[in-house]
Every structure is written in C-alpha cells, then in structure tokens.
Amino acid sequence: MAAHHHHASNGDDLTRAAQAALVAAGEQWTAMRASVFDALAGFAKPASAYDIAEAVSITQGRRVAANSVYRILDLFVGANLAMRVESANAYLANSHPGCLHDCIFLVCDGCGGTTHIDDDKLTGAIRGAASDTGFSPVRPVVEVRGKCAACA
C-alpha cells in the first residue's frame, strides 16, 4: 500500500490544529464553530449532525438546530477539518487537518466503527481513471463496508 504518514493530533492539540487550518482557509474560528468541532471530536464513531447538535445543545444549555450544524460541518469538510462518511451521512473529525488527502473508509456494519486509511496509490488510480474520461476529480471518497476484526 502506498500510504503517506502524518502526525495525528488529539485533544487540545487537535483543536488548535483545526483552528489554525480554518483560519488559514480564510474563515473565522467562532465560539459556535469551536463548540461543534469539540462535539464532533468527542465522538468515537462517525456522528450525524443531529448527534452533534444534541451534544452542543447539552453543553451550551440551549437548543442548537441541526441545520446550523450542517452548515458548519459543510464548512469543516471544505476546510479539511472533518470527513464525511457518505454512506452513513455522518462525520468524523480529521485528526490531521493540515494534510489534504483523499478518503478511504472501512465501515463496520456490525458496530458502526469507521477506520480511515490512506493509500495514495489507490486514490491516484481512481483520480487517473476519472481524468482519463475527461472528468476533473476534486476529492475521491472510497468506502468499503464489511466487518471489523472485533465483529467478524
């Protein structure tokens, strides 16, 4: 596998890396965006906008609408702070927001766990196949559904 390596952040380091990446993308790091990112980063599995809205609502002591969270999540995906698991309509915090890469997800149908892997050879081939047809790929997302080792 032609993988690339990067430093994965967590906790306060992840929040600082996300904030720096968002500001570098020309966006503001607002209190609401920080709350949504903190909630997203707190989930061990991909979380829906509704899950995140509920977590932020509890933290802030007021109701936060899922449509507001969706807008912020779209911004986060565009700025590489979050990754969207398309088949689950759910999101994961990107543990290395400074590294732009394509997404390959291994999604367990048993427990719902999702593992993100990098394989530049595979995604390069996908980009190449798309380009060969005249299509301009922006960011391939590959999802493989099955069972993780614990559920198999």
Side-chain angles (χ1 to χ4, degrees):
M1 174 162 71
H4 61 270
H5 302 284
H6 39 248
H7 172 72
S9 301
N10 57 36
D12 290 340
D13 288 339
L14 176 58
T15 301
R16 281 190 291 277
Q19 180 178 4
L22 192 63
V23 170
E27 298 289 344
Q28 293 182 343
W29 184 258
T30 65
M32 182 59 152
R33 290 174 181 175
S35 294
V36 169
F37 187 81
D38 288 344
L40 175 63
F43 285 94
K45 295 179 186 175
S48 72
Y50 293 95
D51 296 332
I52 297 164
E54 178 154 340
V56 173
S57 295
I58 291 168
T59 302
Q60 292 193 358
R62 65 179 180 90
R63 185 179 174 281
V64 173
N67 62 348
S68 297
V69 171
Y70 269 118
R71 283 192 293 277
I72 293 171
L73 290 170
D74 285 344
L75 174 69
F76 285 176
V77 169
N80 200 40
L81 307 185
M83 301 174 290
R84 184 169 185 257
V85 180
E86 302 286 336
S87 63
N89 192 25
Y91 300 83
L92 289 167
N94 185 352
S95 62
H96 37 84
C99 178
L100 186 60
H101 53 84
D102 300 325
C103 295
I104 302 171
F105 295 115
L106 308 177
V107 182
C108 180
D109 291 327
C111 67
T114 301
T115 302
H116 173 255
I117 61 173
D118 295 320
D119 186 332
D120 294 331
K121 184 176 177 182
L122 174 64
T123 57
I126 292 168
R127 284 177 172 277
S131 294
D132 289 348
T133 69
F135 187 80
S136 298
V138 174
R139 187 172 184 184
V141 176
V142 177
E143 295 183 24
V144 180
R145 299 208 56 114
K147 298 250 178 158
C148 69
C151 292

